[in-house]
Amino acid sequence: MSNPALYIRNVERRYKQGDNELAILRGAELAIMPGQSVAMIAPSGAGKSTLLHIAGLLEKPDAGEVFIGRDPTSHLDDEARTTLRRLDIGFVYQFHHLLPEFTAQENVMLPQMIRGLNKNISRERAGELLKYLGLGDRQQHRPGELSGGEQQRVAIARAVANGPRILLADEPTGNLDPRTADHVFGALADLVRYSGLAALIATHNMELARRMDRRVTLRDGKIVELE
Ligand code: ADP
């Protein structure tokens, strides 16, 4: 059996609030295999963003370990964490955060060029990804010339431009109308299966979550499998 792409092991995270400590994650455990998509459905304040930040190496847990593939990450310094994040982890947020002065194609090329790939290779891969996401004829549009659903699909293409092993998404369809959200979610699910990514997607939408391979929630700081 292959190794999980992402393994969150016994993670704890507490925040200080005045004299009190708020224990948000209390032994959270989650393993996601390559090609597997997991929806995380939990009420606001349950700790979804905290867990995504820890999984994405943006925040360190107070205890526990995050494995990317076979590799533990807690001992890494900031530079090593940044490198790993750039290569192995893609993020999609509720708002697309595309650069407004660049075209869709350039937005998808940029992370590849930052990583050191040349312009032609970056452009080719951007074109392939945008076509795959149904945006073949929108490559030269700037974000302001795209619909909300199109912008979000460009953001997904950008997140996977460097072929990460893991895709993390925080309410990726939260500001889209239901039909557009459905379309974007479908594109995301297809991409995960096709590319062998491991995806963890926070959403409030149970209907969309049903399209993922697994559904989990956060209860008392622990991950609980649904169904
Ligand atoms: P969710 O994404 O599920 O809405 P969050 O992970 O954003 O939840 O937050 C979980 C809880 O942790 C919330 O009660 C929030 O107020 C608290 N929290 C998050 N970040 C911080 C922080 N940096 N300092 C103090 N409390 C925080």
Side-chain angles (χ1 to χ4, degrees), residues 15-17 22 24 42-51 170:
Y15 292 117
K16 281 221 158 35
Q17 249 192 2
L22 212 56
I24 302 301
S44 186
K48 300 183 294 296
S49 303
T50 302
L51 189 80
D170 202 349

Side-chain angles (χ1 to χ4, degrees), residues 130-145:
L130 289 168
K131 268 186 216 143
Y132 185 81
L133 288 162
L135 296 168
D137 56 354
R138 297 285 191 278
Q139 300 197 42
Q140 302 311 321
H141 290 228
R142 293 200 166 73
E145 299 160 348

Side-chain angles (χ1 to χ4, degrees), residues 109-203:
M109 288 169 66
L110 274 169
Q112 302 177 74
M113 293 176 67
I114 289 169
R115 175 193 158 188
L117 291 182
N118 82 38
K119 211 168 181 171
N120 289 336
I121 290 175
S122 305
R123 188 181 294 121
E124 202 171 307
R125 168 130 176 108
E128 274 171 23
L129 277 169
L130 289 168
K131 268 186 216 143
Y132 185 81
L133 288 162
L135 296 168
D137 56 354
R138 297 285 191 278
Q139 300 197 42
Q140 302 311 321
H141 290 228
R142 293 200 166 73
E145 299 160 348
L146 296 170
S147 72
E150 289 169 344
Q151 290 168 349
Q152 207 56 332
R153 279 182 282 152
V154 177
I156 292 168
R158 180 188 52 184
V160 300
N162 281 331
R165 289 199 261 185
I166 297 161
L167 182 69
L168 303 172
D170 202 349
E171 297 282 351
T173 59
N175 74 335
L176 302 176
D177 66 79
R179 253 189 66 200
T180 309
D182 193 62
H183 189 185
V184 170
F185 232 74
L188 196 58
D190 290 345
L191 185 72
V192 168
R193 281 185 202 115
Y194 148 88
S195 61
L197 272 166
L200 178 58
I201 299 161
T203 179

